[in-house]
Amino acid sequence: MKFKLIIPLLLFFVLVGFLGKGLFLNPREVPSPLIGKPAPTFTAPVLGDATQSFSTEEMKGKVWMLNMWASWCAACRDEHPLLVEMLKHDIPLYGLAYKDIEADALKVLEVMGNPYIVTADDADGTIGIDYGVYGVPETYVIDKAGIIRYKQIGPITPKDLREKILPLLEELQA
Amino acid sequence: MIPDIGHYALILALLVSAVQGVVPLAGLSKDNAKLFAFATPAARIQSALIILSFICLDYAFYVNDFSVLYVANTSNSNLPLMFRLAAIWGGHEGSILFWVAILAVWTLAVTFFAKELPLRFRSTLIAVMGLVTVGFLLFILVTSNPFERLIPAAMDGRDLNPLLQDPGMVFHPPLLYMGYVGFSVAFAFAIAALLDGRLDVTWARWTRPWTTAAWVFLTLGIALGSRWAYYELGWGGWWFWDAVENASFMPWLIGTALIHSLAVTEKRNAFKAWTVLLAICAFSLSLLGTFIVRSGVLTSVHAFAVDPGRGLFILVFLALVIGGALTLFALRAPSVGIGEKFDLISKESLLLSNNVVLFAATGSVLLGTLYPLIIDAMGMGKISVGPPYFDTVFVAIMVPGIFLMGVGPIARWKKATVPELASKLKWALIVSMVSALLMPSIMGKLTPMIFVGLLMAFWVMSSVFVALKTRLNAMPKNTLGQKLKSLDRAFNGMLIAHFGMAVFIIGVTMVKGYELETDITMKVGETKQINEYDFRFDGIKLVRGPNYVAKQGQFHVSKGGKEIAYLIPEKRLYPVQGAVMTEASISINLVRDIYISLGEALDGGGWSVRVYFKPFVQWIWAGCLLMGLGGFLTMIDKRYRMRKNKGASI
Amino acid sequence: MIMIRSLLLTLLLSFSITSFAADNIADPITETRLKKLSTELRCLVCQNSTLSDSDAPLAQDLRNEIRKLMIEGKTDEEIIDYLVARFGDFVRFRPPMNASTALLWFGPFLMLIAGAVTLALALKKRSTIITSEDTEL
């Protein structure tokens, strides 16, 4: 049997291997190129109180999480109760209202509880662009040096919280 | 009741097709004619059952039976009848039933139209198709049952995606599936040849019409899909190199290679192993396409609901069928019988060089489609491969192929010489160069891409005329009319198909080279001039459809004072899904389309509007139609009429 | 009841909310340049559209951002780098040319050459093997 006749079969198995692996990947997910890079700096008005502002400068030397959300986002609503829980456990959660109408965002916080230490207002989405936000909710874990260490795409699940986020926060706080 | 009948019919069909697939093959080693005899009756029974099942499901759509989960998910009582019936293939479960129903149609066709094949070969053929059917029926019954019930029944359905509520939905999937699935016949022919040990000129002659038939359907199916996207999606695009588009295009490319390769095998009893491999590849690509669309491994507008579990099932099935076929190939591919002589430069070698180009072109599409997956699977990040890649690489590879397409029809069988070819073609070269410069000078713009595209197109056209002239000259003395009449269909078909390709290339080149896209804002009553045409906006009319409401823009287009067209683009709201659709309005013409799409209502009462000029865009699909016609003609050529008394001859 | 009312409201809103944020059109030269560049970029929301064709709000935002950068005088290269820095290579529809994509860009051409060479060699080998008389079929 000539060797060259097996080549199609071999190539095919390589292909099947990749396709099989592909079943466990998510082609729609866009990983962030910002992991390991400095979090983009910004100063933004506080949601509901334009006289106050929030700046990433304030967070230097602290470990914190930035959660991008909006009142028009259903998945954010699903995630919300978990965030409220997280705040109860002293997790440093800061919010960014992404492309939202102030009144609507404040309403959500009023009705569902406010899980954020401070919420900044990104009404036109420019901060979001700098962070590579393409679909809320998205959450970043940022260390004391201001470097992004982790990005959660989509709602935070209890599993991710347990297995990825909490251990990371612990490590960074040390 | 009816859905249950449909369900049971599928289960029965599974059992019968298992018989169809296994029993004849069991008889192979002992050459047991009694076992062979099971093939045809089993095939006919199983096919009838599957078609019955399909009818039962469509009946559920017809009567709005929302106790069937699939109907509730894809239909709605306000959906016009035509779309209610077509909605059966609007979702995963129904379309996979449709897949297997089309396979049943082809199986029936084989049992009725391939009677002249020797019993042993025919039974093997049918058995192979039976095995494929078994796989799909298992898949349907285990993972994707369209007859699953919804209890209590829904009050009404979730409606068909508004993008699909179009006549295109009625014709595109059937044509596409007839093509895609039809390559299973060529595949079965290849497997039967490998199992049977018979692979000769007769085999090639038998296989050709079936392969060409599938190819014709696929050509028309892809063309229709493209044209539908053009007028439906609202931004004038007609090909996006989307994963699922590519999944249908790759079998087409290999199918084209296969048709040409079969010509060589039939003429010279040569390159048999290669032809068999191509036949296996064509259907493998069809199966791969089926996998891609339903597994979620690649993002696509066409993708059905993502389910890795289903994906795994199809992948295993794919691995078994294709792996099995390729293993059989490795073991049994003919290693003796090199066939007859032909020169390095000859029609035969040119036909095979077509294969080389198409093979590399298919490689580029496959590579481009799967590369994001490959990179991701190797943990090397995420990249996108889109139109810029394909337009560059695919086209670059096809250019030499199109050039050869001009030479092939002129070349003699067995032995052609370069001087002879050159003398016949130098006129063609001159004409095509002149024409390729003439058009741009009329249009007022010339780029390398436009020049090459037009050159290739006119080159092929000229070569078609040269080929015709050469053939006519070689005929015994007669009037032109008599000569033309006596040309055989296969030859005419080849000329028309090649000419169609040239028409297609002109369409693509002209559109890509000269299309114009303008965004304008218009207030009611305003007139704006674009490209020598005057557009007057007469305001918005509220229109009501059977299951939608729409804001319809009223535009009058005139040139030099004369009214050319009245265009009515719409923004439609389909309440059930809450989806907003943009319906473009197009003025169609032999040399240009004027295409208008509504943008948004602006503060201050105006609207943003997009206007496209698409020169020669209809030539794209006219070319495809010609290719399909050409293929059809070659298929019905007298030589493929299998005569009962001739029977099986080597 | 509340469900239906809010559903209807959402429908009406969504029907008209497309008028909420429209592109800010700049001068024709920039617009043409934007059109060309945005066909090379992928919309991250409607991932099967280019940035040029997509109606997604993020696409509009990014088009406006690109406009701004173009007016500021940035080159196409710089603008692509800007987007890649934020969204990764995924946003480019024309894959980068580097070691990991070499196979993608050159593979097909290698296949073409290899195929042509294989065919030529196979044909040569054939003609030396065949010594039988030519027979017309």
Side-chain angles (χ1 to χ4, degrees):
Chain A
M1 181 174 59
K2 290 199 204 135
F3 172 70
K4 64 178 179 178
L5 294 176
I6 309 189
I7 295 179
L9 185 63
L10 291 175
L11 288 173
F12 176 65
F13 277 130
V14 171
L15 176 66
V16 171
F18 278 116
L19 294 176
K21 182 94 204 288
L23 286 173
F24 299 97
L25 302 168
N26 180 353
R28 291 197 60 89
E29 199 177 78
V30 188
S32 175
L34 293 174
I35 311 263
K37 301 234 171 60
T41 57
F42 66 88
T43 307
V46 167
L47 187 76
D49 187 0
T51 60
Q52 302 271 34
S53 70
F54 170 81
S55 162
T56 47
E57 283 301 308
E58 304 169 22
M59 305 309 298
K60 281 271 161 68
K62 297 192 224 167
V63 176
W64 59 295
M65 288 177 67
L66 183 60
N67 171 267
M68 274 78 162
W69 65 284
S71 63
W72 44 261
C73 151
C76 303
R77 236 82 65 87
D78 291 338
E79 180 189 54
H80 206 98
L82 184 62
L83 298 180
V84 172
E85 269 303 304
M86 283 164 68
L87 187 72
K88 289 205 188 117
H89 294 269
D90 292 328
I91 292 180
L93 200 56
Y94 291 75
L96 187 76
Y98 174 76
K99 286 175 74 76
D100 211 346
I101 298 173
E102 193 177 52
D104 297 340
L106 287 169
K107 191 76 198 241
V108 169
L109 294 180
E110 191 192 310
V111 169
M112 295 187 72
N114 188 347
Y116 309 112
I117 298 170
V118 179
T119 308
D121 191 1
D122 183 22
D124 58 5
T126 45
I127 302 172
I129 289 181
D130 274 342
Y131 274 80
V133 170
Y134 69 95
V136 284
E138 289 178 13
T139 313
Y140 293 84
V141 175
I142 302 167
D143 69 14
K144 294 179 182 170
I147 309 283
I148 294 179
R149 301 300 289 261
Y150 176 80
K151 177 179 179 182
Q152 177 82 10
I153 298 169
I156 300 176
T157 61
K159 186 163 180 266
D160 290 324
L161 185 62
R162 229 181 16 249
E163 293 177 6
K164 297 198 185 121
I165 299 178
L166 287 175
L168 180 62
L169 286 173
E170 232 182 88
E171 185 195 322
L172 295 176
Q173 302 271 21
Chain B
M1 221 333 231
I2 305 271
D4 296 316
I5 294 177
H7 191 190
Y8 297 142
L10 280 184
I11 298 175
L12 270 172
L14 175 61
L15 297 170
V16 178
S17 55
V19 170
Q20 173 196 345
V22 174
V23 174
L25 294 182
L28 271 181
S29 54
K30 297 267 176 55
D31 211 23
N32 186 336
K34 286 216 185 80
L35 294 182
F36 294 156
F38 273 82
T40 298
R44 288 184 180 161
I45 294 173
Q46 159 265 98
S47 300
L49 285 169
I50 293 178
I51 292 172
L52 172 67
S53 176
F54 181 80
I55 292 174
C56 288
L57 186 60
D58 225 6
Y59 182 77
F61 276 92
Y62 178 64
V63 297
N64 287 318
D65 183 355
F66 297 118
S67 75
V68 178
L69 180 62
Y70 182 69
V71 179
N73 279 337
T74 20
S75 186
N76 184 276
S77 50
N78 285 323
L79 197 57
L81 178 64
M82 158 171 80
F83 301 140
R84 278 215 319 270
L85 296 179
I88 187 172
W89 48 71
H92 165 70
E93 292 84 350
S95 70
I96 199 94
L97 179 59
F98 188 50
W99 212 108
V100 89
I102 297 287
L103 186 57
V105 169
W106 280 102
T107 306
L108 275 177
V110 169
T111 65
F112 284 112
F113 296 114
K115 289 210 192 92
E116 291 72 21
L117 297 176
L119 178 66
R120 181 188 161 98
F121 188 83
R122 188 178 4 125
S123 308
T124 314
L125 191 64
I126 293 173
V128 171
M129 293 183 76
L131 289 176
V132 177
T133 310
V134 165
F136 273 93
L137 286 174
L138 265 175
F139 176 65
I140 294 175
L141 288 167
V142 173
T143 75
S144 319
N145 185 359
F147 297 105
E148 199 177 314
R149 299 293 239 198
L150 182 63
I151 295 162
M155 293 295 285
D156 210 327
R158 292 240 228 104
D159 207 9
L160 182 65
N161 185 336
L163 267 177
L164 302 179
Q165 294 183 27
D166 181 275
M169 181 59 176
V170 179
F171 298 103
H172 164 65
L175 284 171
L176 202 67
Y177 277 46
M178 280 296 284
Y180 218 60
V181 179
F183 280 128
S184 63
V185 181
F187 175 78
F189 266 97
I191 301 295
L194 289 173
L195 283 174
D196 207 30
R198 169 208 292 274
L199 185 53
D200 55 14
V201 166
T202 325
W203 173 84
R205 189 161 46 83
W206 292 333
T207 315
R208 256 176 116 174
W210 293 95
T211 309
T212 311
W215 181 88
V216 169
F217 278 113
L218 192 55
T219 307
L220 296 175
I222 295 175
L224 185 55
S226 162
R227 189 161 193 276
W228 179 17
Y230 169 73
Y231 68 72
E232 177 68 32
L233 294 177
W235 40 273
W238 49 271
W239 189 257
F240 196 66
W241 296 107
D242 172 83
V244 170
E245 289 174 345
N246 296 345
S248 70
F249 190 45
M250 288 187 280
W252 186 89
L253 290 168
I254 294 295
T256 308
L258 180 57
I259 299 175
H260 289 77
S261 180
L262 279 168
V264 175
T265 304
E266 187 186 339
K267 198 79 175 176
R268 292 285 166 257
N269 200 23
F271 280 82
K272 296 179 278 197
W274 173 247
T275 304
V276 161
L277 185 60
L278 279 180
I280 294 177
C281 281
F283 186 58
S284 304
L285 287 166
S286 294
L287 288 179
L288 181 68
T290 307
F291 169 77
I292 287 177
V293 184
R294 293 158 204 279
S295 61
V297 290
L298 295 169
T299 43
S300 165
V301 279
H302 281 83
F304 293 103
V306 168
D307 189 331
R310 287 170 175 165
L312 194 59
F313 194 112
I314 303 181
L315 187 61
V316 169
F317 177 57
L318 210 107
L320 288 173
V321 172
I322 304 174
L326 290 175
T327 308
L328 188 63
F329 175 77
L331 293 170
R332 297 280 208 103
S335 52
V336 294
I338 241 182
E340 291 159 38
K341 183 176 161 65
F342 58 84
D343 269 22
L344 191 64
I345 309 243
S346 60
K347 196 194 280 287
E348 292 91 335
S349 65
L350 284 163
L351 283 167
L352 290 171
S353 61
N354 145 308
N355 276 202
V356 170
V357 171
L358 286 171
F359 174 72
T362 309
S364 73
V365 178
L366 186 64
L367 217 49
T369 307
L370 293 180
Y371 219 74
L373 168 58
I374 294 173
I375 293 282
D376 196 7
M378 308 223 284
M380 287 158 64
K382 282 246 161 70
I383 61 166
S384 299
V385 181
Y389 168 80
F390 294 101
D391 286 344
T392 311
V393 177
F394 177 80
V395 172
I397 295 201
M398 287 300 284
V399 167
I402 307 292
F403 171 73
L404 291 174
M405 211 172 138
V407 185
I410 314 285
R412 287 180 191 275
W413 288 103
K414 276 212 282 193
K415 188 188 180 77
T417 58
V418 177
E420 188 190 4
L421 290 171
S423 78
K424 288 217 171 90
L425 288 169
K426 68 171 183 262
W427 173 86
L429 187 62
I430 296 171
V431 166
S432 35
M433 287 203 126
V434 168
S435 314
L437 290 168
L438 205 65
M439 289 287 269
S441 65
I442 296 174
M443 301 292 288
K445 179 170 97 173
L446 175 67
T447 70
M449 184 274 283
I450 294 173
F451 177 68
V452 171
L454 291 177
L455 180 65
M456 288 295 110
F458 288 119
W459 168 249
V460 171
M461 278 185 174
S462 321
S463 115
V464 164
F465 285 116
V466 172
L468 180 61
K469 181 158 162 273
T470 310
R471 175 66 71 99
L472 291 172
N473 284 348
M475 284 171 142
K477 275 237 171 282
N478 217 327
T479 64
L480 182 62
Q482 293 282 42
K483 281 191 184 179
L484 284 172
K485 255 203 176 144
S486 65
L487 289 171
D488 57 284
R489 284 197 189 123
F491 183 72
N492 293 341
M494 181 272 285
L495 292 181
I496 292 176
H498 284 200
F499 190 81
M501 180 61 132
V503 169
F504 170 82
I505 296 174
I506 290 180
V508 172
T509 308
M510 296 300 282
V511 159
K512 284 198 121 99
Y514 298 110
E515 66 182 338
L516 229 63
E517 184 186 320
T518 323
D519 287 309
I520 50 174
T521 55
M522 295 204 78
K523 291 208 167 64
V524 182
E526 207 182 341
T527 303
K528 283 209 167 141
Q529 197 188 72
I530 306 171
N531 207 28
E532 295 173 4
Y533 287 85
D534 294 303
F535 291 81
R536 194 182 79 226
F537 180 37
D538 281 348
I540 299 284
K541 196 165 88 169
L542 244 55
V543 178
R544 186 154 252 245
N547 55 343
Y548 64 87
V549 288
K551 298 181 185 168
Q552 189 185 80
Q554 320 274 304
F555 290 87
H556 287 266
V557 188
S558 50
K559 188 172 186 181
K562 201 171 77 150
E563 168 126 346
I564 303 277
Y566 169 55
L567 296 176
I568 45 172
E570 294 177 357
K571 263 264 194 286
R572 289 186 189 170
L573 170 65
Y574 288 81
V576 179
Q577 291 202 356
V580 176
M581 293 288 129
T582 310
E583 288 288 314
S585 185
I586 313 176
S587 159
I588 297 177
N589 175 299
L590 198 63
V591 292
R592 61 78 197 131
D593 275 16
I594 302 178
Y595 185 116
I596 281 195
S597 195
L598 276 180
E600 280 96 39
L602 305 165
D603 309 321
W607 275 77
S608 66
V609 177
R610 220 172 228 195
V611 178
Y612 298 86
F613 285 92
K614 303 264 185 188
F616 289 82
V617 73
Q618 300 292 333
W619 285 49
I620 295 176
W621 306 297
C624 294
L625 213 64
L626 286 172
M627 284 195 261
L629 176 62
F632 178 68
L633 285 176
T634 66
M635 209 173 102
I636 58 176
D637 187 275
K638 283 199 268 290
R639 72 176 102 147
Y640 298 119
R641 239 27 98 58
M642 298 203 241
R643 276 167 278 258
K644 278 208 168 85
N645 38 2
K646 261 223 162 142
S649 50
I650 301 258
Chain C
M1 223 27 242
I2 302 172
M3 275 287 284
I4 298 176
R5 210 144 28 103
S6 59
L7 187 70
L8 266 164
L9 200 65
T10 317
L11 284 178
L12 280 166
L13 255 172
S14 61
F15 199 24
S16 55
I17 205 144
T18 45
S19 60
F20 193 75
D23 274 57
N24 318 317
I25 315 267
D27 63 278
I29 298 180
T30 307
E31 285 304 304
T32 312
R33 202 180 142 209
L34 171 68
K35 191 136 285 173
K36 191 152 180 288
L37 183 60
S38 55
T39 57
E40 293 256 334
L41 298 164
R42 187 171 202 169
C43 173
L44 298 132
V45 179
C46 307
Q47 294 185 346
N48 293 285
S49 294
T50 62
L51 217 53
S52 168
D53 303 312
S54 175
D55 282 332
L58 178 61
Q60 268 170 357
D61 289 346
L62 288 176
R63 283 197 298 268
N64 285 330
E65 187 70 24
I66 296 175
R67 245 185 220 105
K68 206 175 83 193
L69 293 169
M70 281 182 171
I71 293 173
E72 279 173 20
K74 297 276 190 295
T75 66
D76 284 358
E77 274 297 305
E78 288 170 329
I79 294 175
I80 295 180
D81 287 341
Y82 175 91
L83 291 170
V84 170
R86 284 154 181 74
F87 297 99
D89 275 324
F90 189 79
V91 78
R92 303 166 69 165
F93 259 139
R94 183 186 296 264
M97 179 100 66
N98 55 42
S100 60
T101 61
L103 176 63
L104 176 66
W105 283 104
F106 297 112
F109 296 103
L110 289 175
M111 284 169 83
L112 188 62
I113 296 170
V117 166
T118 309
L119 179 63
L121 289 176
L123 289 179
K124 269 216 141 134
K125 192 164 154 214
R126 281 185 95 245
S127 59
T128 59
I129 291 179
I130 290 169
T131 49
S132 56
E133 287 287 287
D134 293 342
T135 41
E136 264 298 328
L137 259 167

